[in-house]
Amino acid sequence: MIRDFSEERKEKLKKQIDEINSETLCWLTDGLGDLGTRFSRWIGILDINNYMDNIGAYHKKMLDMNNMTKKEIDQIFEDVYSVDSKYKEQFEEAVSGLDSWISKVHILRDQINPGFSITSASGIRKSCKEINKEIEAVRGKMAETYEKELTYSEKRAAMEALRGGVSALGEFAGNILAMPGKMISSVLSGNPAGVLSAEWDLINSVFSTGQKGAALFAVGLGLGIGSMSGKNKNKVREKALEESESLNSRDGLTGEFESLAQSGTWEKKVYGGLAEGSGVLDDVNSMYQVYEGAKGLRDTFKKENFTKGNIVHTIGSELGFETKLTPDDLERPKYMRKAKWKRYNDMYKGFEKNKNLYSNFNTLLDYGMAAADPEKSVGGEMFKKSSAGGFAAKKWDTIKDLGDMEYVAVN
């Protein structure tokens, strides 16, 4: 794949914008079309790998979906040219350093006289005086550039850990609050899968929170120890950055086992097996959530949810908010006495009320993070929180993989 930022490509993109504008009937049809295109992208249909034989069509869909203007195209290309210029300077520094070393080798070569007699050490120092200054100057520039790149990478890793940490912490807190209610509901309804799912979600969120927190801590630790390490400070920072990036790439318990499996031969066997087993549990949990999501999707679009009394609650739920903060009573099992059921039911309603309050706060937090993240959109976040969008966007990979799952027994 070639990233083409030539003037010719820029003009083709501008021409496509003209075509899109001429084909658009009104803002409503444009909005509906954009929603369909965005949906296709979320579920993996609109992917550049599916358009390798027709990149122009992919570009046109992306331009239409994001409502790009010619001015924005010009700005994108200017930003790309700016990055090219920056890295051109860095490569020129490296080339200049190599040229200086080549010149020094030539100077040293010239110190070897016929008969293999070599100029004295003082003569060599004198001959290399100017080139040594030049080499030191280039080294200084390269060290400065390297320092900037290392600092940028540290900031990027810290930001990734911070964003992921906020999300993971929110998920962890949500699972903590939701778990008792889920377990009581699952026990009373005779649904052991619900209990196991709640426990597995909590385990994964604990590991995810720890991984992102450790990733952020690793960057800070590298800076702290590096500041006391003299000439080796950058080596310490590099190692800490490497660990931070590794932690950021992990996701839950399975990700932790997969990382440990890279340590050595016996670790690969032990932790590799654990990773496979944990991955199976992830898949099973995902399938269960697909099933629950399908039920929720069916229930959302029942006729009674769109009556005058329920429409506010239905719309609020589709946006991720709990408008009924006090849950309905659970159905009492026939085998359970009313007094015992009431005790469990009251506990359930208390846990669910706290969970619903937190859920509304977390929804607002997610919208705020989406608004602050240039790679996301609030509209996209809203769609994902809807019953249809959540079911499709979050479970699509699981649905695709149902046909080729492998179950591994771990001894």
Side-chain angles (χ1 to χ4, degrees):
M1 185 188 298
I2 299 174
R3 298 182 183 275
D4 185 0
F5 287 96
S6 63
E7 287 295 321
E8 182 183 359
R9 174 55 62 184
K10 181 165 69 171
E11 292 306 315
K12 284 183 179 180
L13 291 173
K14 287 183 176 181
K15 186 176 179 181
Q16 285 183 315
I17 290 176
D18 289 333
E19 291 174 2
I20 291 167
N21 291 336
S22 66
E23 294 167 1
T24 301
L25 297 177
C26 66
W27 65 269
L28 180 60
T29 57
D30 181 45
L32 292 173
D34 291 349
L35 183 62
T37 305
R38 195 174 295 277
F39 175 74
S40 297
R41 189 182 184 192
W42 281 329
I43 64 176
I45 295 175
L46 181 56
D47 187 286
I48 193 169
N49 292 315
N50 298 332
Y51 286 81
M52 295 306 292
D53 59 339
N54 193 355
I55 292 294
Y58 175 79
H59 285 163
K60 189 172 182 179
K61 287 180 179 291
M62 297 303 293
L63 291 170
D64 187 19
M65 183 182 75
N66 293 294
N67 297 317
M68 296 291 290
T69 65
K70 292 181 180 180
K71 186 176 180 181
E72 288 172 325
I73 292 293
D74 285 332
Q75 186 60 53
I76 289 171
F77 275 72
E78 286 178 15
D79 291 341
V80 170
Y81 297 152
S82 176
V83 171
D84 281 350
S85 177
K86 173 187 172 184
Y87 280 96
K88 178 186 175 185
E89 291 176 4
Q90 294 181 12
F91 286 128
E92 285 176 346
E93 285 177 5
V95 170
S96 177
L98 290 172
D99 287 342
S100 297
W101 276 107
I102 291 171
S103 297
K104 184 170 183 177
V105 170
H106 289 167
I107 291 171
L108 292 172
R109 178 199 62 191
D110 293 340
Q111 305 308 306
I112 303 175
N113 301 310
F116 293 99
S117 63
I118 301 175
T119 305
S120 64
S122 60
I124 292 175
R125 281 196 298 270
K126 185 176 179 180
S127 299
C128 293
K129 184 177 180 180
E130 293 302 320
I131 195 66
N132 283 341
K133 287 181 181 179
E134 187 178 316
I135 288 173
E136 285 303 313
V138 172
R139 277 178 172 173
K141 286 183 180 179
M142 292 182 69
E144 186 179 337
T145 299
Y146 174 76
E147 179 78 19
K148 289 179 181 178
E149 290 296 320
L150 183 58
T151 300
Y152 169 78
S153 296
E154 287 170 335
K155 288 180 179 178
R156 184 179 60 184
M159 185 58 67
E160 184 181 347
L162 188 59
R163 285 177 179 167
V166 170
S167 178
L169 186 60
E171 185 178 350
F172 170 64
N175 285 330
I176 283 285
L177 291 171
M179 185 177 177
K182 283 183 180 178
M183 294 186 71
I184 292 172
S185 173
S186 297
V187 168
L188 293 185
S189 62
N191 178 21
V195 177
L196 296 174
S197 177
E199 291 175 345
W200 192 247
D201 284 342
L202 181 60
I203 290 171
N204 275 319
S205 63
V206 168
F207 275 90
S208 293
T209 303
Q211 286 156 354
K212 303 308 177 187
L216 185 61
F217 179 72
V219 174
L221 190 65
L223 288 169
I225 297 177
S227 64
M228 300 182 291
S229 302
K231 293 181 179 180
N232 294 321
K233 68 174 185 177
N234 284 344
K235 289 184 179 180
V236 175
R237 291 168 63 187
E238 286 172 9
K239 191 65 179 176
L241 177 62
E242 182 182 337
E243 183 62 22
S244 178
E245 290 174 341
S246 172
L247 287 161
N248 273 328
S249 67
R250 303 175 201 175
D251 185 21
L253 181 58
T254 301
E256 197 65 28
F257 283 145
E258 288 174 345
S259 176
L260 291 170
Q262 307 301 317
S263 303
T265 304
W266 73 268
E267 288 93 340
K268 184 175 182 179
K269 292 180 179 179
V270 175
Y271 291 117
L274 290 172
E276 289 177 337
S278 179
V280 168
L281 293 177
D282 283 338
D283 289 333
V284 171
N285 187 39
S286 293
M287 284 192 293
Y288 171 75
Q289 291 181 357
V290 167
Y291 168 71
E292 290 295 310
K295 288 200 303 182
L297 183 63
R298 177 199 65 194
D299 294 340
T300 297
F301 291 98
K302 285 182 178 178
K303 186 177 180 181
E304 56 265 30
N305 286 337
F306 293 91
T307 60
K308 186 177 180 181
N310 284 333
I311 191 67
V312 173
H313 173 63
T314 301
I315 294 174
S317 297
E318 289 301 287
L319 295 177
F321 294 101
E322 296 288 344
T323 57
K324 294 180 179 179
L325 293 178
T326 303
D328 297 328
D329 289 332
L330 290 168
E331 184 177 349
R332 179 168 66 94
K334 294 179 181 179
Y335 63 83
M336 186 173 288
R337 286 186 170 185
K338 190 172 183 179
K340 188 174 182 181
W341 168 82
K342 185 177 185 305
R343 186 167 69 252
Y344 281 115
N345 188 66
D346 289 344
M347 289 171 60
Y348 158 78
K349 293 178 77 172
F351 285 129
E352 284 295 288
K353 183 178 180 180
N354 290 333
K355 186 264 290 183
N356 291 344
L357 287 169
Y358 171 79
S359 176
N360 287 343
F361 168 77
N362 201 45
T363 295
L364 288 172
L365 180 63
D366 286 344
Y367 288 156
M369 289 183 67
D373 190 340
E375 296 181 0
K376 293 184 179 180
S377 70
V378 177
E381 197 66 30
M382 286 181 176
F383 182 76
K384 287 180 183 178
K385 288 186 180 296
S386 69
S387 56
F391 175 73
K394 294 180 182 178
K395 312 308 176 189
W396 182 257
D397 288 338
T398 302
I399 295 170
K400 288 194 299 183
D401 293 340
L402 288 181
D404 57 0
M405 278 186 56
E406 293 183 4
Y407 292 89
V408 180
V410 181
N411 295 323

